[in-house]
Amino acid sequence: MAHTTASSQIPQHVTSLLSHLTSRPGVQSTFILSRKDGSIIQSTGLLATKPAGNSSPNVSQADSTVEEESEATMTPAESPTPPTPSSATTPNRQTSYQPSQGEALAARIFAFVSSASDLSLSLSRPLNENAHGSKTDSNGLQEGLGNGTSRDDGDGEASEREDDDEVKLLRLRTKKHEIVVVPDKKYLLCVVHDAAHPTGNTSAGLRSSQVLDTVIESITSYLTNTNVQLGATYKTSKLSTAGFANGYEAAAKFINAKPEEICLGVSTTQLLHNLSTALKFQPGDELILSKLNHEANSAAWVRIADRLGLEVKWWSASNPQNPVCDPNDLKQLISEKTRLVACPHASNILGSIVDVKEIAKIVHQYPRAFSWYKVYGPHIAQLYASPRIHDQIDTLGHFFKGTETLDLKLNLASANYEHVQSIPRVVEYFEPDVSASWEKVAAQEERLQQIILDFLNGNDRVTVYGERSADRNLRVPVISFTVRGTKSQRLVEEVEKRSAYGFRSGHMYSHRLIKDIIGLEDVEDGVVRISMLHYNTEEEMTGLVKVLEEVIATL
């Protein structure tokens, strides 16, 4: 059972950061520890513990245990028997306190961070006497520090130490577990993951990717050091404003646009609803919507058409197993009254890549939207609109706000500060040669989906929807299928019982595609969808095939 302090005792930026750290699969436990003495403030999950009173882990005891049981230290939570502090063996003691596994782990995490901080300080202060005047030994360690003991820093010393301490994120990985630790000024945020959990091959969006370490570090640093309102003249606000502006610059650069041509917001759904409300429509305007769309790309236009009496034309597909957005079908729908065409670049069910260049030749000019969490970033979305149509977009902002940029017109408030300023870290991931990086990503993902598709295509009970080829020019690694004679969700649950793989079933917000084109009777049960990304391995895919083969044979 988790022990949690009153919510008022834990700052919002700390809980927000912990939420980011637990966004990936396989989380077993979380801890919030005191930066001062390592005491457990909050714990959840398998190793959750309720500290007795205001007890703090005895770090010196834990260190003694570390020396005696070094292997146990490297594999926390692997042994069902919690390690016993060395003091528990003292003969004269009538009673001894035996810490829980969570408490022992917390003590070692605190010692781990303390050692890392000392290492960081020794690197930043190479002289024999540091800024506080403390003497150092021949190894560069301060007297009384470096052994994991707790510190009772004064305010002045703590403030200076925070400036010098460069430790932003620590990661310890063993065969069975991974511990991620993010130090804050007053807290240590710790997340214990199951290292055996397949990371990312089971993501449940198209394709909700895992967040880059550098993005997590950037968000951590922002929330810790520069979480203030934008636009003021004092130093911290200037830093925050510059970071926000850099985020917009990077986001625009990512799609070869200018900052004034994009808008960032909480989701693609929200941005498209904002756009549909702000666009200046005329009576008789026609909207062409693809039935291959995620509903985010249809709902806003259906709503505004109902409100304003516009005509919606549905762009369908004739092949239920491999539906496509055929440009020739579009030509039959488009007319002089067509105001907008909404279609996907890649279907979140089929994985099939749509020929948007050919469609653009027919449509000429169009806004585009995508979500950064599909490309290793935070949960934030981006909308682009050519400046040629900005005069056709009304502003949703307050009357005294400017209208010079798309963002000023469409954003009802500023986009999430910490998310925006982290976007440059995503762009950096693909640099310096962006084209070469994308080619490597696509090549790896082609190899991965080839393994899955070879198995599925060879099973006569399985129907694969979308391109049956793994060709990177035809599809992205999102594979959807059904198995004759069984429900999709039952297959998912059977795989989960036998392995750590996790994926999902359903319509994934492409309800019209599943119902009207693919034609499944049970739309809610829908298809089985497996997603993977370049950080997955061929071994993981081979293991998944083995599990799928066993499960399908039993259903």
Side-chain angles (χ1 to χ4, degrees):
M1 182 176 180
H3 170 69
T4 307
T5 61
S7 59
S8 60
Q9 296 182 27
I10 302 177
Q12 183 177 359
H13 79 274
V14 174
T15 56
S16 176
L17 177 56
L18 187 63
S19 176
H20 283 294
L21 293 174
T22 56
S23 61
R24 59 171 274 194
V27 174
Q28 288 189 337
S29 298
T30 69
F31 294 89
I32 299 179
L33 309 180
S34 166
R35 183 74 185 264
K36 180 179 179 180
D37 59 15
S39 58
I40 299 175
I41 298 173
Q42 174 180 296
S43 61
T44 66
L46 296 178
L47 300 177
T49 181
K50 182 174 182 178
N54 295 322
S55 64
S56 303
N58 189 316
V59 181
S60 61
Q61 291 176 349
D63 284 344
S64 175
T65 309
V66 170
E67 293 174 2
E68 296 173 4
E69 304 180 36
S70 59
E71 184 174 350
T73 303
M74 293 303 292
T75 56
E78 290 179 16
S79 171
T81 304
T84 304
S86 58
S87 59
T89 61
T90 305
N92 295 331
R93 291 202 178 209
Q94 295 181 349
T95 61
S96 62
Y97 175 70
Q98 181 147 342
S100 68
Q101 194 172 8
E103 290 171 324
L105 177 61
R108 288 168 175 163
I109 289 171
F110 181 69
F112 181 40
V113 175
S114 298
S115 297
S117 296
D118 290 336
L119 174 60
S120 172
L121 290 172
S122 68
L123 291 173
S124 62
R125 297 177 184 172
L127 300 178
N128 288 333
E129 185 169 310
N130 62 31
H132 304 313
S134 302
K135 293 182 180 180
T136 58
D137 61 19
S138 58
N139 294 320
L141 296 178
Q142 295 180 35
E143 293 179 356
L145 299 179
N147 61 355
T149 56
S150 62
R151 312 171 187 218
D152 190 11
D153 296 331
D155 290 342
E157 183 178 358
S159 177
E160 188 169 354
R161 181 172 171 271
E162 287 161 4
D163 292 338
D164 289 335
D165 192 348
E166 297 178 354
V167 177
K168 300 298 182 186
L169 181 144
L170 296 171
R171 171 170 286 168
L172 174 65
R173 187 177 179 87
T174 71
K175 289 183 178 180
K176 294 185 178 180
H177 296 90
E178 182 179 70
I179 300 178
V180 177
V181 183
V182 177
D184 181 71
K185 288 181 179 180
K186 295 184 179 180
Y187 304 92
L188 298 176
L189 284 72
C190 319
V191 179
V192 180
H193 294 275
D194 177 5
H197 191 99
T199 304
N201 66 315
T202 57
S203 56
L206 169 65
R207 291 168 314 264
S208 299
S209 60
Q210 300 308 313
V211 180
L212 296 170
D213 287 351
T214 52
V215 171
I216 295 174
E217 292 168 13
S218 178
I219 292 173
T220 302
S221 177
Y222 180 89
L223 290 174
T224 303
N225 301 309
T226 56
N227 188 27
V228 297
Q229 289 291 337
L230 308 181
T233 56
Y234 59 93
K235 180 181 178 181
T236 306
S237 181
K238 286 183 177 179
L239 291 173
S240 184
T241 303
F244 190 83
N246 289 339
Y248 260 83
E249 291 278 354
K253 175 184 176 183
F254 192 69
I255 61 170
N256 297 318
K258 297 177 181 178
E260 59 267 25
E261 297 171 352
I262 69 168
C263 179
L264 295 169
V266 295
S267 67
T268 301
T269 301
Q270 182 65 64
L271 289 176
L272 290 175
H273 271 286
N274 288 3
L275 178 63
S276 70
T277 301
L279 271 177
K280 301 174 183 177
F281 288 103
Q282 301 296 326
D285 281 349
E286 297 175 351
L287 313 179
I288 300 176
L289 310 180
S290 170
K291 287 197 173 182
L292 274 65
N293 278 337
H294 183 292
E295 191 62 19
N297 202 22
S298 296
W301 310 115
V302 172
R303 180 188 64 87
I304 202 68
D306 288 342
R307 284 183 57 191
L308 302 181
L310 310 177
E311 181 179 354
V312 172
K313 292 183 176 180
W314 289 103
W315 182 7
S316 192
S318 57
N319 186 342
Q321 289 191 20
N322 188 16
V324 296
C325 291
D326 190 335
N328 291 322
D329 291 340
L330 175 61
K331 291 177 182 177
Q332 303 303 313
L333 296 172
I334 205 162
S335 73
E336 292 182 357
K337 295 182 179 180
T338 300
R339 185 63 191 285
L340 178 140
V341 175
C343 68
H345 192 171
S347 165
N348 72 315
I349 291 289
L350 310 170
S352 303
I353 297 173
V354 174
D355 189 354
V356 292
K357 289 186 177 180
E358 184 61 30
I359 292 170
K361 293 177 183 177
I362 301 171
V363 179
H364 298 300
Q365 51 193 26
Y366 57 102
R368 292 169 287 181
F370 77 97
S371 299
W372 279 98
Y373 65 89
K374 314 293 188 184
V375 285
Y376 329 113
H379 203 290
I380 191 170
Q382 178 169 327
L383 175 72
Y384 163 84
S386 168
R388 295 192 300 271
I389 66 167
H390 283 199
D391 61 349
Q392 302 174 41
I393 302 174
D394 278 329
T395 181
L396 301 179
H398 298 306
F399 73 90
F400 52 82
K401 298 282 286 185
T403 59
E404 298 81 20
T405 69
L406 187 67
D407 183 73
L408 286 171
K409 286 192 170 192
L410 293 184
N411 238 329
L412 299 177
S414 295
N416 183 289
Y417 294 174
E418 61 266 27
H419 289 178
V420 171
Q421 64 84 42
S422 73
I423 290 175
R425 307 292 84 78
V426 182
V427 177
E428 289 169 1
Y429 180 67
F430 297 98
E431 293 175 339
D433 190 334
V434 177
S435 296
S437 296
W438 277 117
E439 179 59 28
K440 290 178 181 178
V441 166
Q444 169 68 356
E445 291 176 349
E446 183 177 291
R447 288 190 291 268
L448 297 177
Q449 62 180 335
Q450 184 71 64
I451 296 170
I452 304 298
L453 285 169
D454 282 348
F455 165 71
L456 295 176
N457 288 332
N459 190 306
D460 59 8
R461 289 183 60 198
V462 173
T463 299
V464 175
Y465 299 99
E467 291 289 343
R468 300 174 73 89
S469 165
D471 188 339
R472 73 191 80 167
N473 297 307
L474 299 178
R475 63 152 45 248
V476 295
V478 175
I479 301 171
S480 294
F481 62 94
T482 54
V483 177
R484 188 176 67 252
T486 189
K487 291 288 188 178
S488 294
Q489 182 57 26
R490 185 184 175 195
L491 184 146
V492 169
E493 292 172 353
E494 289 300 319
V495 170
E496 291 172 350
K497 290 178 183 178
R498 296 167 183 252
S499 71
Y501 293 101
F503 41 91
R504 67 184 303 175
S505 68
H507 55 73
M508 276 66 75
Y509 293 91
S510 290
H511 192 283
R512 302 176 200 273
L513 170 59
I514 297 295
K515 181 178 184 293
D516 298 341
I517 298 181
I518 293 178
L520 297 184
E521 292 183 4
D522 189 344
V523 179
E524 293 301 319
D525 186 61
V527 296
V528 177
R529 187 184 68 177
I530 299 173
S531 305
M532 62 217 77
L533 284 165
H534 68 282
Y535 44 66
N536 290 121
T537 67
E538 294 180 49
E539 289 76 17
E540 287 174 337
M541 297 303 101
T542 301
L544 177 56
V545 164
K546 182 178 179 181
V547 176
L548 286 171
E549 187 173 20
E550 293 173 355
V551 168
I552 291 174
T554 64
L555 296 177

